[in-house]
Amino acid sequence: MASPLYEELIDHGLVMSVPVTAALAHAAGPVAGMDIARNVTLLLALVLLTRHLANEASAAGAGLMFLIINLVLGRACNPDGYTAHAWWAVALCPSDSMTAWLVAVALSLLALLLAFSPTSASR
């Protein structure tokens, strides 16, 4: 059985890997698409926020449910008949959408600030 200190060090290490993963996604952005890099950052932020508010088990499900809801319910039709995305479906926004980038960055900063909070539900 691992000691609580060891488990806390692993937990902090995994949380600190989130900015590294986001940076790697942005480095691969010119090849894969910057909207994918933005969505990776957004999903990681949602996972950290859910981990803070609930627990680790629900964090993975929150990211997956966010994507499913965006893909299933986020598509709409414009009055001219063309398919578009709903205003709240941030994951479907094009890569040049400033609003989607601001949402992703704001959620990431909030998630990283709360990640090491002693009031986290996962502690």
Side-chain angles (χ1 to χ4, degrees):
M1 181 176 271
S3 69
L5 179 61
Y6 181 71
E7 290 177 359
E8 188 170 340
L9 286 174
I10 289 176
D11 189 45
H12 287 321
L14 290 174
V15 169
M16 287 310 298
S17 71
V18 168
V20 173
T21 305
L24 289 173
H26 281 79
V31 175
M34 290 307 288
D35 56 338
I36 293 173
R38 180 200 62 223
N39 289 341
V40 166
T41 305
L42 183 64
L43 289 174
L44 289 171
L46 284 173
V47 166
L48 282 180
L49 284 174
T50 306
R51 176 187 164 270
H52 176 77
L53 296 173
N55 57 29
E56 290 91 355
S58 61
L64 183 61
M65 287 308 297
F66 174 76
L67 280 180
I68 290 172
I69 289 170
N70 272 253
L71 291 174
V72 173
L73 300 176
R75 299 197 188 272
C77 286
N78 286 337
D80 56 0
Y82 291 107
T83 303
H85 63 278
W87 63 269
W88 53 265
V90 179
L92 298 177
C93 290
S95 61
D96 60 350
S97 172
M98 187 58 69
T99 305
W101 277 103
L102 289 175
V103 168
V105 168
L107 279 178
S108 295
L109 291 176
L110 178 65
L112 286 174
L113 287 174
L114 294 176
F116 294 108
S117 171
T119 60
S120 177
S122 64
R123 298 185 192 270

